[in-house]
Amino acid sequence: MDSDTDVHLPSLLDLDAFSLVHVSQFLTCPRDLGRLQCTCKALHRLLQASNVWTKALKLNYGGVQLQHTAPAAAAASSSSERSVVPNKDLCRLLNRSVTEDLYPVRFVAVYTDGGVDTGTLHYWADHAFIPNSWAPFCAKYCDNVNLLAILKTGPDATAELTHRQMMIGCLKWVLPLLQQNPFPSNPETFPVTPAQLIEAAEMLSVWKTQRLESFFCQMAARAAVRDPLGLSMLRGLPAATEARNAAREGRPMDASRAMEERREAARVLGQGIQMRTWYDRAYCLQFFQQLKQQDAAGAGSAAVGGRARGLGPHQVAQVARGGRPTDDAAYDSPYVLDEMAVRSELMSSEVASSMAILHGLAVSREGRLSCPVQSGALLAGLLPPEGLQAALAATSAAAPSTVCVGPYASGAAAPQPEAGAVPMSAYEAAMRAVLEQPNVRALNDKQDAASVFSACADGQLPPWVRHVVMEHAEYIELLPPHLAAELTDADLEKIAGAGGSAQAAGGAGGAAAGGSGGAAGTSRPAAAAGAAVAGVPQLHPVIWFRFTDHAEYSRRRLSSRARALLRHVSAHCRDAADLLDTAMDRLLELLRGEVAEWTRAVAATAGGDRCPPRPESLSAVLHHAISLPDRLISLATALAVLAPELRETAGFVVSETIAEGLMAQSMAVKGDLAHVAQRLAALEQVSQAAQEQRAAVAARMGAVEAAAGAGGLPTGGSGWLDGAVRGVWRALEAEALRDESRRVRVELAAALRAQQAAAAAATEAQARRKIVTERRNEELLRRLPVQPPPETAPAAAAAAATAAVPSAPHGGASASSAAGVEAEPPPPLPAAAATLEPPPPAGWAADRLFDPDLQHDVDSGRAALPEADEDGHRVLHLAARLLFPVAANAVVFKAIRPENLMAMVGWDESEAPNVDVQYVALQGRVVRLPPGLQAVPGA
């Protein structure tokens, strides 16, 4: 190829700058955009400050957009230097953070419209956002309960863990002593091994915080009076003052001084906890005494739902009048605000400069929960740039009557608002407006997948993206608003036309949706529906979920008792079949051989002076032969006893014919073998009698005469032996022992083996991993500017997805000169860069909480329930990974409906059901933006 041809080849750099920027906007992947920028210095300079990175950040990382704060923007406009929003740097930072860097993000609950059960602090909503079993959230009410939470920005995100570790470090020295029998006489100096300490710490780590505090206070009180058991706890406390003094004076630590220092520290800590528990110090709840009203159109259905969920008649009447059921308690209000969280988080200026990129969630129902959440949803969004100031300005009215629970209620001095400060009632009104916006209300009463798909089709909810059905749960991911904005009305019409007749996936886990279940929506999604309230963050639906009913799941996944019964029945059938044919044939053959050998010996010595005794080998074989039908009778009895319970708990039927046939055959064999034993005993007696008679004759006649005389048995003795031998063989040829009966035993053994194979197959099916059915809205996904990961990404693709965005050009100077653009240094970047928060410390979050196989692996034994029902509600854990991450510093968890398990758990059935949540873990990463920048929803 000559130089003239090479010069006239079309080049991307022949385009002007506006066209280049326009072309680059078609690249939505940050990695592709970085490669294009690195092709030459001209493109690197051109694209560095353009809005292409703004679009890439918005499309790939949850719809976030960075902008300068008002003071920073004013300073930049008055400065001669250009101020660049570091969208590319943030894309590079997030792209380098691989999947393994995801962790549970701490959000703090600030408000709920579902009340708090009995107004107790250890039931407050914030426990739902702490991913462990230290305390649950127990609402006062049961339907459409919303929890508003803000991203935690304070330094004490995991302070409760530190508090617990202090108590566990002390109490782990006490627990092993309580397990000693007899109790040691010197517990304060009793040696405790490291293995015992580790085991005790693991056991204490799953205790509720309230229980740990109670135990610690008891031991601290014992230590204060020098009780030996209480003093043993002091080994977990440091003696910092004595250690410092000893080091300064160059002497060893004084044991008595160190003990006194530890004892005083334990006394102070115990008294402090007794005066104000951890939750008394962490929360200050305000109950706003208004009754939450429902839509008049939904009052009738609410009353029906109240009866279906077991509400009392007076409570159903209250619901039908348009409100929630009420009691005479002082803390009956559904609207509850945590003043401490509002002051430390919502009033903080750091909220807008921090955001979480959420990639998944986990919902736990672990524990003795009487009404665990069954269906729910998550909504997420970003606070407005000015926070809630605009909403507060419109709602700063006089405070209604409130009831306070927390440090200020116990006598501590409450912080007095400054002159002109916004009252808590204004914050409550603003947060109530957040929960009353159309996007949140659109998920009310969405108890099944069919209702969600119908709402998507009607435009009440955004289009659905993915529907995943498992044995124990199902969830539906909804399209984020920043991606929904990329769809045109024509796209929506095509999606609706292609999906309008589709059906929701049935699968192994949930109820099938209706005919409109597959529709993606015929109108603009709910994110754009309804007028936005001024100053209120617009939260969008992210995911909807539903746990399978306990009864339905028990039919799919058998309880541990049912699985144990299956294993027992399988083993019993296998053992009975082996005994019936293999073992019995072998023993009968050995028995016949031993009998034949003895009877031949008896017949051979009939004329001699001594008859042979019964061989020990014959006695042993006979003993084993007689014990065999006894074992068969035991197995038949066990099958008859286990069959009804197994049919009830597992739906597995053990054939009555098999059990009855096994019992009848065993009894017949036992009877015939007993007759054989009698005949053998008779033969032995005849042989012994003949020998005694021969000895008597020899004594009377003398040895010579006896030798010259008859020389054997008296007349008729030989006939007695022959008759006894024939009796033995007739017994061995009885009906149950003859060869013709072997066919019956073989057929019965084959039926037992078939039953054993069926029980083994049922047991193996329970051991297999859960069935997962995933259906994606392919018609919708094809029209999006970004594509989700494949259903099963290969390892190579996963590794490639974690590659970093190139950060600097690697050549291309000739291309720059060909474009006629001189190379210039890139524009200045902010001095401080965005950073990722480190993951929480070990022990703060539950193990494997984002593992989708966790429910299968802890299928039994995890829920602490009464002895009468050892498994209880075994549907415990849901883990879901999002196809499209979302950016949020404010979320709403919506508990739509509970599952009423009050009768199973054993609570008072006269109480009204509520909704309980152990925790909602949000998986992602937290980004801290540099000063002067804030995260806002993408335009």
Side-chain angles (χ1 to χ4, degrees):
M1 181 179 295
D2 56 15
S3 59
D4 294 336
T5 306
D6 183 51
V7 170
H8 293 89
L9 282 176
S11 171
L12 187 64
L13 296 179
D14 292 338
L15 302 175
D16 58 85
F18 294 101
S19 300
L20 286 173
V21 172
H22 179 73
V23 170
S24 64
Q25 289 180 346
F26 290 95
L27 298 177
T28 58
C29 177
R31 182 184 301 104
D32 295 338
L33 195 57
R35 289 168 178 168
L36 175 63
Q37 189 183 11
C38 292
T39 54
C40 65
K41 294 181 179 179
L43 286 175
H44 184 272
R45 183 188 61 181
L46 179 65
L47 301 181
Q48 182 71 20
S50 68
N51 60 357
V52 293
W53 288 105
T54 303
K55 183 177 181 181
L57 178 65
K58 182 185 75 171
L59 292 179
N60 291 275
Y61 298 107
V64 66
Q65 180 177 340
L66 302 184
Q67 70 176 27
H68 291 286
T69 59
S77 61
S78 61
S79 175
S80 58
E81 296 182 354
R82 289 179 293 172
S83 179
V84 179
V85 177
N87 293 304
K88 177 184 175 182
D89 293 339
L90 185 55
C91 284
R92 183 189 302 123
L93 178 68
L94 294 174
N95 195 56
R96 285 176 176 171
S97 179
V98 295
T99 304
E100 289 75 11
D101 293 334
L102 302 179
Y103 52 83
V105 176
R106 176 69 165 108
F107 280 77
V108 56
V110 294
Y111 186 73
T112 181
D113 63 356
V116 181
D117 193 10
T118 68
T120 308
L121 288 173
H122 64 263
Y123 289 153
W124 167 234
D126 190 49
H127 304 312
F129 296 97
I130 301 177
N132 49 55
S133 58
W134 299 344
F137 163 61
C138 298
K140 177 72 176 178
Y141 305 104
C142 63
D143 60 320
N144 301 317
V145 171
N146 300 298
L147 282 69
L148 175 61
I150 304 298
L151 182 64
K152 181 72 173 177
T153 57
D156 56 345
T158 59
E160 187 177 356
L161 175 64
T162 305
H163 177 61
R164 289 173 56 88
Q165 286 176 336
M166 181 275 297
M167 295 187 292
I168 292 174
C170 296
L171 297 176
K172 70 180 180 180
W173 293 92
V174 179
L175 211 58
L177 301 178
L178 298 177
Q179 299 170 348
Q180 297 292 325
N181 189 15
F183 189 78
S185 58
N186 55 339
E188 69 275 15
T189 58
F190 186 81
V192 181
T193 65
Q196 289 177 317
L197 291 176
I198 294 175
E199 181 181 1
E202 291 177 352
M203 187 180 304
L204 292 167
S205 65
V206 299
W207 284 22
K208 306 292 184 185
T209 299
Q210 190 179 25
R211 184 181 178 189
L212 278 176
E213 289 181 331
S214 176
F215 191 19
F216 183 86
C217 290
Q218 293 177 24
M219 293 300 104
R222 283 173 172 262
V225 296
R226 288 178 165 74
D227 179 81
L229 182 61
L231 293 176
S232 66
M233 180 187 75
L234 303 183
R235 288 186 278 184
L237 287 175
T241 303
E242 173 59 21
R244 186 167 53 251
N245 293 339
R248 184 174 60 249
E249 298 171 6
R251 59 173 176 82
M253 288 182 58
D254 187 286
S256 60
R257 292 180 182 177
M259 177 65 71
E260 287 301 316
E261 181 181 346
R262 295 188 181 103
R263 193 170 64 86
E264 179 63 18
R267 184 188 66 81
V268 172
L269 289 171
Q271 289 182 352
I273 292 175
Q274 284 182 325
M275 294 178 60
R276 290 175 58 195
T277 66
W278 173 259
Y279 297 140
D280 289 329
R281 287 175 278 166
Y283 307 122
C284 177
L285 305 186
Q286 291 196 14
F287 292 73
F288 291 80
Q289 299 296 326
Q290 298 108 334
L291 186 64
K292 180 173 181 179
Q293 301 294 321
Q294 295 181 346
D295 294 336
S301 61
V304 175
R307 289 193 295 272
R309 293 190 296 277
L311 298 180
H314 67 289
Q315 294 167 323
V316 172
Q318 178 65 54
V319 173
R321 289 195 297 269
R324 295 177 179 267
T326 61
D327 295 328
D328 295 331
Y331 307 108
D332 186 55
S333 172
Y335 300 106
V336 188
L337 174 147
D338 181 13
E339 183 177 348
M340 300 211 36
V342 170
R343 294 184 182 278
S344 62
E345 306 300 333
L346 202 58
M347 293 183 179
S348 172
S349 60
E350 298 182 8
V351 177
S353 61
S354 303
M355 63 176 176
I357 309 296
L358 303 180
H359 291 259
L361 88 161
V363 183
S364 174
R365 313 196 316 168
E366 175 191 353
R368 193 179 180 185
L369 306 179
S370 60
C371 301
V373 61
Q374 182 169 33
S375 57
L378 178 72
L379 300 95
L382 293 168
L383 294 172
E386 68 281 359
L388 296 179
Q389 297 304 317
L392 293 174
T395 57
S396 57
S401 59
T402 62
V403 178
C404 183
V405 178
Y408 309 146
S410 59
Q416 299 298 323
E418 300 177 358
V422 180
M424 282 293 118
S425 60
Y427 280 96
E428 190 274 336
M431 287 182 279
R432 191 186 306 184
V434 174
L435 300 186
E436 294 296 333
Q437 60 183 270
N439 285 350
V440 180
R441 295 171 60 87
L443 284 161
N444 283 358
D445 304 320
K446 300 299 184 291
Q447 304 181 53
D448 52 32
S451 61
V452 176
F453 285 125
S454 177
C456 292
D458 295 340
Q460 300 176 22
L461 292 175
W464 67 277
V465 174
R466 180 174 59 156
H467 183 204
V468 178
V469 181
M470 297 170 283
E471 286 183 332
H472 68 288
E474 63 177 327
Y475 62 88
I476 300 174
E477 182 178 349
L478 302 172
L479 188 67
H482 66 279
L483 295 179
E486 301 293 324
L487 299 174
T488 64
D489 292 337
D491 290 334
L492 293 174
E493 292 178 1
K494 292 179 181 178
I495 294 170
S501 60
Q503 301 293 324
S516 62
T522 57
S523 60
R524 183 57 59 181
V533 180
V536 172
Q538 295 300 298
L539 305 180
H540 59 87
V542 176
I543 193 169
W544 171 92
F545 68 88
R546 181 183 182 276
F547 286 98
T548 305
D549 292 334
H550 166 74
E552 175 64 23
Y553 183 75
S554 296
R555 289 190 289 269
R556 299 171 184 167
R557 280 287 170 192
L558 302 181
S559 65
S560 60
R561 172 65 178 169
R563 293 197 298 269
L565 291 176
L566 276 176
R567 291 192 295 268
H568 290 325
V569 167
S570 177
H572 292 345
C573 291
R574 181 193 64 239
D575 294 344
D578 293 342
L579 292 176
L580 267 180
D581 52 12
T582 307
M584 185 170 291
D585 288 347
R586 183 172 63 254
L587 282 175
L588 290 179
E589 182 180 356
L590 289 174
L591 181 60
R592 289 191 177 94
E594 291 289 341
V595 169
E597 184 176 351
W598 185 42
T599 54
R600 282 197 299 270
V602 170
T605 59
D609 59 352
R610 185 175 181 276
C611 292
R614 182 196 298 187
E616 292 184 1
S617 58
L618 174 58
S619 299
V621 171
L622 181 62
H623 172 74
H624 287 301
I626 293 177
S627 64
L628 187 145
D630 288 336
R631 294 172 60 191
L632 288 174
I633 291 173
S634 299
L635 293 173
T637 304
L639 289 176
V641 171
L642 295 178
E645 184 179 0
L646 187 59
R647 181 172 55 252
E648 180 180 353
T649 59
F652 186 85
V653 178
V654 178
S655 173
E656 295 181 1
T657 304
I658 293 178
E660 293 173 356
L662 179 61
M663 179 65 73
Q665 186 69 17
S666 303
M667 295 295 293
V669 171
K670 181 179 180 180
D672 290 345
L673 286 175
H675 186 57
V676 170
Q678 293 174 358
R679 293 298 91 202
L680 287 173
L683 175 60
E684 192 172 18
Q685 290 177 359
V686 169
S687 175
Q688 183 67 25
Q691 182 176 348
E692 292 175 357
Q693 186 177 14
R694 190 163 50 246
V697 170
R700 288 197 308 268
M701 298 177 61
V704 176
E705 293 180 358
L713 291 174
T715 305
S718 179
W720 296 345
L721 278 176
D722 292 341
V725 170
R726 287 194 298 271
V728 171
W729 284 108
R730 280 196 300 271
L732 283 172
E733 295 300 327
E735 181 179 359
L737 303 180
R738 67 181 59 171
D739 291 340
E740 290 79 3
S741 299
R742 185 178 183 278
R743 179 180 57 83
V744 178
R745 296 198 304 271
V746 169
E747 291 177 355
L748 184 57
L752 284 167
R753 287 195 171 91
Q755 193 84 68
Q756 181 263 334
T763 305
E764 182 182 358
Q766 293 296 315
R768 288 195 292 266
R769 287 291 186 263
K770 59 183 179 295
I771 301 172
V772 179
T773 302
E774 177 178 347
R775 185 172 66 103
R776 297 188 178 189
N777 194 341
E778 299 294 347
E779 190 68 26
L780 169 67
L781 296 177
R782 282 196 294 268
R783 287 173 166 77
L784 295 179
V786 293
Q787 293 302 313
E791 295 186 20
T792 305
T802 63
V805 177
S807 57
H810 48 78
S814 59
S816 175
S817 58
V821 181
E822 295 183 1
E824 296 181 4
L829 295 177
T835 59
L836 293 178
E837 284 290 299
W844 180 72
D847 293 335
R848 300 177 57 197
L849 71 168
F850 297 117
D851 187 349
D853 287 333
L854 180 60
Q855 165 66 33
H856 178 275
D857 294 341
V858 295
D859 181 61
S860 62
R862 182 101 184 243
L865 290 171
E867 301 290 340
D869 191 343
E870 61 182 19
D871 287 315
H873 64 283
R874 297 183 295 114
V875 185
L876 304 175
H877 194 83
L878 165 67
R881 187 72 179 269
L882 299 177
L883 289 181
F884 300 107
V886 295
N889 50 27
V891 297
V892 167
F893 177 77
K894 190 181 193 74
I896 299 173
R897 287 292 187 275
E899 183 177 5
N900 191 343
L901 300 177
M902 296 171 64
M904 176 184 300
V905 173
W907 300 125
D908 186 359
E909 295 186 12
S910 64
E911 296 181 0
N914 61 340
V915 64
D916 306 321
V917 182
Q918 186 60 256
Y919 63 77
V920 181
L922 303 179
Q923 184 185 30
R925 294 160 291 184
V926 176
V927 180
R928 302 288 185 186
L929 299 176
L933 285 178
Q934 59 185 356
V936 297

